[in-house]
Amino acid sequence: MEKVQEFKTAAITVYQKKIVPFLSRADDELLKRVPQTKAIQDKNIRPCFVALAAAAFVLMVFAWMIGAAGLTNLVGFVYPVVASFKARKAGNSTEVVNKWMTYWIIFSLFNVIESITDLLYEWVPQYYLVKAIVLVYAFAPSSNFTELINSLVTDKLMAKFPGPAPEKEVKEVARTVTTEDASTANEAKLD
């Protein structure tokens, strides 16, 4: 019972010290930028609550228009594209690049499975919610989910396929192809 009381006290403290000042700043900012919010405040309604309700409504309409599939793919695509691009441009470590490569494997796997079987999201309740949670968890900076998938699935699956060809063999193939192309070109000139 004491732990419950401690939790309540901590929650009230956080609410009073962090959330209430944030809401007050949001109300002040709205009053400065949108004059109509004064009429809302005169009715004892916080302008930030009206703004949050409007944002939630717009999000719901957006979700209804493009559907759960579109919204889930948008969530799973926008941030990871930007983060992958930044990681590539910054020349980050192999570990960071591997994380994003594994994320894109997971994202692609979801989309391939969806395109093959339309029954998946009909048979699995809340499929798109589960997909969104898995994708967000996979790209979350504090998550090690991609490392887990990489070690358990990707490495074992890809170990069955041969690795890159040794440099000597690649040069030999390139020389052979070049020689064959040159002899084919000479034959064509003679005809």
Side-chain angles (χ1 to χ4, degrees):
M1 192 66 167
E2 290 178 27
K3 290 191 178 196
V4 171
Q5 189 60 33
E6 288 175 22
F7 179 75
K8 280 183 180 179
T9 306
I12 290 170
T13 304
V14 167
Y15 177 77
Q16 290 173 343
K17 290 187 177 182
K18 297 204 178 202
I19 296 174
V20 169
F22 175 77
L23 294 175
S24 296
R25 285 193 309 269
D27 286 338
D28 293 342
E29 201 61 38
L30 283 168
L31 286 169
K32 277 191 242 175
R33 295 177 189 259
V34 184
Q36 292 82 358
T37 55
K38 181 70 175 140
I40 294 169
Q41 192 175 34
D42 291 343
K43 295 180 182 178
N44 291 327
I45 300 172
R46 293 192 83 146
C48 64
F49 290 159
V50 174
L52 286 172
F57 177 75
V58 167
L59 184 63
M60 286 178 11
V61 167
F62 184 70
W64 177 72
M65 288 172 58
I66 67 169
L71 192 61
T72 301
N73 284 333
L74 195 65
V75 165
F77 190 75
V78 174
Y79 173 76
V81 163
V82 172
S84 298
F85 183 74
K86 285 182 179 179
R88 188 176 150 263
K89 284 294 183 186
N92 283 342
S93 67
T94 308
E95 184 179 305
V96 175
V97 174
N98 280 345
K99 174 183 175 144
W100 287 112
M101 290 299 295
T102 306
Y103 172 81
W104 289 113
I105 290 170
I106 295 168
F107 183 82
S108 300
L109 184 63
F110 269 116
N111 287 327
V112 166
I113 290 171
E114 282 176 21
S115 68
I116 292 172
T117 171
D118 293 336
L119 300 175
L120 185 64
Y121 42 85
E122 292 175 6
W123 287 11
V124 177
Q126 300 299 321
Y127 168 75
Y128 287 112
L129 179 63
V130 171
K131 177 183 174 181
I133 290 170
V134 168
L135 292 176
V136 168
Y137 186 63
F139 71 66
S142 60
S143 166
N144 291 332
F145 184 67
T146 54
E147 291 175 20
L148 177 71
I149 294 295
N150 204 13
S151 65
L152 292 178
V153 179
T154 312
D155 287 347
K156 290 179 182 174
L157 183 65
M158 291 304 176
K160 295 177 182 179
F161 296 100
E167 192 173 319
K168 181 181 175 185
E169 291 177 14
V170 170
K171 286 181 181 177
E172 180 66 31
V173 168
R175 189 171 43 79
T176 305
V177 168
T178 306
T179 306
E180 289 175 2
D181 287 344
S183 66
T184 305
N186 287 337
E187 290 173 9
K189 286 181 186 176
L190 295 174
D191 291 336

